[in-house]
């Protein structure tokens, strides 16, 4: 199970001025050129107050110079861990392109207006799902979850506005470092990392593979 990666790589002179600009370039290539399935899927890794880690795949729902945004139940394991320890890692595993992007930063909740605007853009079924699932809690059976959803479906039929759950919302991860990893031949990969400076600028450093 071994694959030889590409010959062409990633040079410092090819990088954008900021990591978000560079991410936008690679994200566009992943979505529009490589046509990857769910290029916005990322592995979100958190740790509790004792440093015990946990990871899961979450969909990125927006990004700008302020950070990378995803949404979740605020009672979920990831949200509870972020309340104890706001440091988070995001990993975009674009395997068909032999690329990865690794973001390390600090997560903060989005404002309720931003959360509400996104919630109302979701499909009706996804809005109901946010109410039906007490995310990360133990349930007796799938039937219990389905019954909860059916009850909500009867209460809020298609076309009726679903209220935004108070226990649901977004996190914005403000990056402190962003690594762009390009697979190369002979496992001599290119790894270029942006690191935030105190004055708001970015330093670029090359890491050994």
């Amino acid at each position: 199970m071994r694959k030889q990666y590409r010959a062409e790589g990633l040079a410092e002179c090819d990088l954008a001025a900021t990591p978000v600009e560079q991410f936008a370039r690679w994200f566009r290539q992943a979505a529009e050129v490589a046509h990857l399935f769910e290029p916005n899927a990322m592995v979100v890794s958190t740790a509790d107050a004792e440093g015990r880690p946990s990871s899961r795949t979450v969909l990125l729902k927006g990004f700008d110079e302020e950070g990378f945004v995803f949404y979740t139940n605020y009672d979920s394991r990831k949200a509870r861990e972020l309340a104890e320890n706001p440091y988070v890692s995001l990993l975009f595993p674009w395997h068909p392109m032999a690329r990865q992007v690794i973001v390390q930063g600090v997560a903060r909740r989005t404002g309720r207006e931003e959360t509400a605007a996104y919630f109302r853009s979701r499909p009706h079924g996804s809005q109901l799902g946010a109410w039906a699932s007490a995310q990360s809690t133990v349930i007796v059976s799938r039937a219990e979850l389905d019954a909860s959803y059916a009850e909500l479906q009867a209460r809020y039929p298609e076309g009726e506005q679903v209220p935004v759950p108070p226990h649901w919302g977004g996190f914005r991860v403000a990056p402190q470092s962003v690594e762009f990893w390009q697979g190369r031949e002979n496992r001599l990969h290119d790894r270029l990392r942006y690191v935030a400076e105190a004055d708001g600028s970015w330093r670029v450093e090359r890491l050994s593979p």
Side-chain angles (χ1 to χ4, degrees), residues 89-92 100-104 177-181 191:
S89 174
L90 312 177
L91 167 65
F92 295 86
Q100 302 179 70
V101 179
I102 304 107
V103 179
Q104 292 182 309
S177 71
V178 184
E179 178 184 336
F180 292 85
W181 186 102
R191 299 176 61 188

Side-chain angles (χ1 to χ4, degrees), residues 60-203:
L60 176 73
K61 289 303 179 180
F63 65 91
D64 56 25
E65 292 295 338
E66 299 300 315
F68 300 81
V69 178
F70 65 90
Y71 291 86
T72 188
N73 186 313
Y74 284 146
D75 295 324
S76 66
R77 178 176 179 176
K78 72 176 94 52
R80 286 186 279 109
E81 290 185 346
L82 288 173
E84 297 176 343
N85 177 3
Y87 293 98
V88 62
S89 174
L90 312 177
L91 167 65
F92 295 86
W94 296 330
H95 301 305
M97 304 175 74
R99 285 179 175 177
Q100 302 179 70
V101 179
I102 304 107
V103 179
Q104 292 182 309
V106 178
R108 296 284 185 266
R109 290 189 181 190
T110 58
R112 291 310 292 173
E113 288 186 9
E114 183 177 355
T115 288
Y118 170 69
F119 183 81
R120 294 192 179 104
S121 75
R122 303 180 91 204
H124 183 74
S126 296
Q127 293 181 13
L128 296 179
W131 279 100
S133 171
Q135 196 174 77
S136 299
T137 62
V138 176
I139 57 176
V140 174
S141 66
R142 174 74 196 201
E144 178 185 338
L145 181 63
D146 290 340
S148 175
Y149 183 86
E151 181 183 335
L152 287 158
Q153 201 171 29
R155 190 186 312 169
Y156 301 106
E158 188 76 43
E160 186 167 333
Q161 182 168 296
V162 180
V164 182
H167 57 272
W168 188 94
F171 281 101
R172 175 173 282 102
V173 178
Q176 296 179 326
S177 71
V178 184
E179 178 184 336
F180 292 85
W181 186 102
Q182 175 65 69
R184 297 292 303 277
E185 291 180 325
N186 304 314
R187 297 300 186 258
L188 298 177
H189 315 306
D190 285 324
R191 299 176 61 188
L192 297 181
R193 180 171 64 186
Y194 292 79
V195 179
E197 300 279 40
D199 63 1
S201 64
W202 294 94
R203 179 180 80 254

